[in-house]
Amino acid sequence: MTFSHISHLSCAKCSFVYKPDEVHQLCRCGSPLLVNYDLSSISMKVKRAHLLNRSNDLWRYHELLPVQHPDNIVSLGEGMTPLLPMKKIGQEMGLPRLLMKDESLTPTGTFKARGAALGVSKAKELGVKAFVMPTNGNAGAAWSLYAAKAGIEAVIVMPVAAPPFIRSEVAATGSRLFFVDGLISDAGKMAAKAAADFHLYDASTLKEPYRIEGKKTMGYEIAEMMDWQVPDVIIYPAGGGVGLIGIYKAFRELQQLGWVDQGKMPRLVAVQSEGCAPIVKAWQEGKMESELWRDSKTVAFGINVPKALGDFLVLKAIYETNGFALSVNDEEILEEQKRIVQTEGAFVCPEGAATFLAARKLGNAGVIDQKDTVVTVNTGMGLKYLHVDEQNTPVLQRDGYIKSLIDE
Ligand SMILES: *Cc1c(COP(=O)(O)O)cnc(C)c1O
Ligand SMILES: [Zn+2]
């Protein structure tokens, strides 16, 4: 029995076909490549119930993943994160069927581990010895950790403004870390130059085809954990938008396998920060591609992406599922984050909080119905963002603190 049922890669724009067992980056036309599988043979050989006996991580879906030999798997135990009912805050929002896919429990603390697990495993399988990657922080940290485990050399390029916490995480792995005085797009230019100059594998978002295969497993897990029911709405904090493209791909594949209802897709909602909302702007204008967002800025640094290579795929996923795109401001995000911690005990990251805020706003606006099953994706742990709130942390004096508590 074949471990992976990968058949070929194909260009997301011009449909040109590539072989699966060679190193590829972008298509010759400059667009991202997507991975295709022999879905009809999977649907004959694998039944949903078979999954129940498998490992409790994302490798349970191995036929639908690109790694062809299990020996090449580089795993830190990623996947199968909880899908938690958010009853209290959902009730308060008027959305009693609110759920959270909680990626804070992933190795490395963000869902970037999924992309890194697949990206690094497949790189290992293809014989890659070193890669370069531009990152806002979380992807660089995740890829560095998996690269360390794989014995692959990682060169990471980050904006200087990336959180110190994450710099330390990357530095600890022994990756070679470089800083640029600019945004992720500037880091991307530097990485592209380094890739050309030093013949490195370019692991930039969507320049390698496999991280999307890791991120799509969030879609499989949501379906499996809902006993193969399709939720009405999934809300995702979109930066490069790979997670959203992945979730869309996952549900399409599940439909073709006959594992979920063929007539229903979840409505996919992209939320961005008002300080960086190129996808939202394009969606509002009914466009198929976004424009570069100048001087982007947001506390939710994971979604600070001024122009995404896969923007047309994100927009397509939103249009085709009758979805929605909206932006929210940083101040509101941080307020929502507090509300979530204080009602549900979940210390979500700002990006995750933005999805709850989007649910609240779309509920109020009547875009989402109170009968809808709504899944918010908390893409990472709040603990990675302590720098955001440092000024507000109360410092209690040793002497007199009990007294001050009693006085209140
Ligand atoms: C990278 C990141 C995102 C955005 O992910 P994409 O799939 O690239 O849009 C959201 N949240 C966090 C915490 C991230 O690190
Ligand atoms: Zn092409």
Side-chain angles (χ1 to χ4, degrees):
M1 178 125 156
T2 328
F3 190 69
S4 166
H5 285 250
I6 184 171
S7 58
H8 61 280
L9 307 183
S10 61
C11 174
K13 267 218 174 117
C14 76
S15 303
F16 196 82
V17 168
Y18 294 84
K19 287 192 188 137
D21 38 18
E22 297 166 355
V23 173
H24 295 295
Q25 306 251 233
L26 293 175
C27 176
R28 54 187 189 169
C29 80
S31 296
L33 300 178
L34 298 175
V35 183
N36 296 269
Y37 299 87
D38 186 353
L39 294 174
S40 55
S41 88
I42 299 175
S43 77
M44 278 188 297
K45 287 179 194 153
V46 189
K47 300 290 160 236
R48 297 185 310 199
H50 293 160
L51 299 173
L52 298 172
N53 302 324
R54 293 192 176 177
S55 62
N56 194 45
D57 57 30
L58 60 76
W59 299 100
R60 68 204 276 107
Y61 307 110
H62 59 79
E63 286 93 348
L64 294 154
L65 296 174
V67 176
Q68 284 164 297
H69 202 290
D71 288 350
N72 293 320
I73 291 177
V74 183
S75 176
L76 297 172
E78 53 287 331
M80 292 305 271
T81 54
L83 184 65
L84 293 168
M86 294 280 111
K87 286 232 174 71
K88 281 167 76 186
I89 199 159
Q91 214 87 42
E92 185 235 313
M93 285 181 195
L95 299 173
R97 304 175 72 175
L98 186 72
L99 300 163
M100 169 174 72
K101 179 69 173 157
D102 191 7
E103 294 291 300
S104 68
L105 290 149
T106 315
T108 84
T110 72
F111 83 111
K112 290 293 194 299
R114 294 178 187 266
L118 266 295
V120 171
S121 298
K122 191 64 191 178
K124 183 179 166 195
E125 187 158 272
L126 294 169
V128 169
K129 300 280 178 274
F131 65 80
V132 60
M133 161 178 273
T135 174
N136 274 335
N138 287 334
W143 281 68
S144 291
L145 288 156
Y146 283 86
K149 179 140 186 170
I152 293 178
E153 192 174 350
V155 180
I156 306 292
V157 191
M158 235 186 237
V160 244
F165 186 105
I166 294 180
R167 289 195 204 185
S168 312
E169 188 180 6
V170 173
T173 65
S175 291
R176 300 222 216 158
L177 179 55
F178 296 90
F179 295 105
V180 288
D181 192 6
L183 293 172
I184 175 104
S185 34
D186 303 298
K189 282 179 205 146
M190 187 164 159
K193 184 165 174 3
D197 290 350
F198 302 101
H199 305 290
L200 299 171
Y201 184 57
D202 189 339
S204 304
T205 301
L206 293 180
K207 285 194 186 170
E208 64 77 45
Y210 302 108
R211 55 149 52 69
I212 179 173
E213 297 304 297
K215 291 184 174 186
K216 79 175 180 185
T217 56
M218 288 188 287
Y220 295 159
E221 291 174 18
I222 290 170
E224 188 179 358
M225 289 182 182
M226 289 181 60
D227 206 13
W228 306 103
Q229 299 299 303
V230 177
D232 297 298
V233 181
I234 299 178
I235 309 181
Y236 186 80
V242 182
L244 198 103
I245 302 167
I247 290 171
Y248 175 80
K249 187 173 189 280
F251 277 94
R252 284 287 185 228
E253 288 169 350
L254 293 176
Q255 285 183 331
Q256 289 178 49
L257 288 169
W259 288 6
V260 298
D261 180 350
Q262 318 236 345
K264 180 178 175 190
M265 280 292 278
R267 297 177 72 189
L268 297 178
V269 175
V271 56
Q272 298 196 296
S273 164
E274 280 174 8
C276 182
I279 302 274
V280 177
K281 180 165 183 285
W283 179 80
Q284 284 167 343
E285 295 169 354
K287 300 224 167 99
M288 302 309 282
E289 268 176 42
S290 67
E291 285 160 35
L292 179 88
W293 191 276
R294 301 215 173 273
D295 304 318
S296 63
K297 194 173 182 321
T298 167
V299 289
F301 65 84
I303 54 175
N304 189 350
V305 180
K307 164 81 183 159
L309 192 58
D311 55 357
F312 69 104
L313 294 170
V314 180
L315 287 159
K316 182 176 161 231
I318 301 171
Y319 292 130
E320 289 197 355
T321 60
N322 185 28
F324 208 91
L326 76 166
S327 58
V328 292
N329 75 50
D330 280 8
E331 218 173 301
E332 297 176 288
I333 290 177
L334 296 176
E335 278 168 26
E336 188 71 41
Q337 184 190 30
K338 286 221 175 70
R339 264 199 299 270
I340 299 161
V341 188
Q342 293 175 8
T343 54
E344 297 284 356
F347 192 9
V348 302
C349 63
E351 293 84 346
T355 65
F356 283 78
L357 189 56
R360 182 185 295 281
K361 289 185 183 247
L362 295 177
N364 287 342
V367 176
I368 301 181
D369 192 83
Q370 56 169 358
K371 291 196 295 294
D372 286 344
T373 303
V374 179
V375 178
T376 55
V377 182
N378 174 39
T379 41
M381 48 160 65
L383 281 176
K384 287 207 149 177
Y385 295 74
L386 295 180
H387 57 281
V388 173
D389 209 27
E390 251 156 28
Q391 305 93 317
N392 302 331
T393 309
V395 180
L396 294 178
Q397 302 297 319
R398 262 182 83 190
D399 299 327
Y401 96 97
I402 298 247
K403 183 165 176 300
S404 81
L405 285 178
I406 292 167
D407 283 352
E408 272 172 22

